[in-house]
Amino acid sequence: MRHTVALFASLLTTLLLSACAGGLGSGDYERTQTRGVQEVQMGTVESVREVKIEGTKSGVGTGAGAVVGGVAGSHVGGGKGQIIGGVLGAVVGGVAGAATEEGATRQKGVEITLKLDSGRLIAVTQAAEPNEVFKVGERVRILSGGGVTRVTH
């Protein structure tokens, strides 16, 4: 029985790691964003603020947690106690799995306020990348297309 719980726990870990949030930084593109036209504007950084980007809530963590919790809970007691333990374990495991997935895929981000050359003021939020630091007063490119906007050097 312990092997079953260990197997499900490693399955949960694998599923959570595979559900990690995709890249949200300036250098990350989804496949559908390739070979498309993007509008390019130039601007100046007015301010930069650190933010947190929430993690994914795909349901993978909830499902895997419910399975692990249900299996673990079903080993409590005997008869009806096993059924109740399994149900309660599944509920608690599902809640814990959802929280684990969201926490494991949460990212650090930056909110960059920009003054475009047109005079318009905008803000763009994207994942923080260690090699890409934006400084107040710096000239940057703003790329927009397909409902996505990013700031690059």
Side-chain angles (χ1 to χ4, degrees), residues 71-91:
V71 169
S74 69
H75 296 317
V76 175
K80 288 185 181 179
Q82 285 181 316
I83 295 170
I84 293 169
V87 169
L88 290 175
V91 170

Side-chain angles (χ1 to χ4, degrees), residues 5-121:
V5 173
L7 176 65
F8 281 117
S10 55
L11 172 65
L12 173 63
T13 302
T14 302
L15 289 173
L16 286 176
L17 290 175
S18 68
C20 287
L24 299 172
S26 66
D28 299 311
Y29 287 83
E30 292 179 10
R31 182 176 300 279
T32 58
Q33 294 174 311
T34 60
R35 300 183 69 176
V37 174
Q38 292 188 332
E39 178 184 345
V40 180
Q41 299 179 70
M42 297 301 292
T44 304
V45 176
E46 291 283 313
S47 68
V48 180
R49 177 173 82 103
E50 288 185 19
V51 297
K52 292 179 190 156
I53 300 172
E54 77 176 344
T56 60
K57 297 176 182 175
S58 68
V60 172
T62 303
V67 169
V68 172
V71 169
S74 69
H75 296 317
V76 175
K80 288 185 181 179
Q82 285 181 316
I83 295 170
I84 293 169
V87 169
L88 290 175
V91 170
V92 171
V95 170
T100 301
E101 176 187 3
E102 198 280 328
T105 57
R106 189 176 299 142
Q107 291 182 285
K108 290 182 180 182
V110 288
E111 176 189 84
I112 309 158
T113 302
L114 306 151
K115 185 162 194 167
L116 302 179
D117 287 351
S118 66
R120 196 168 139 223
L121 200 62

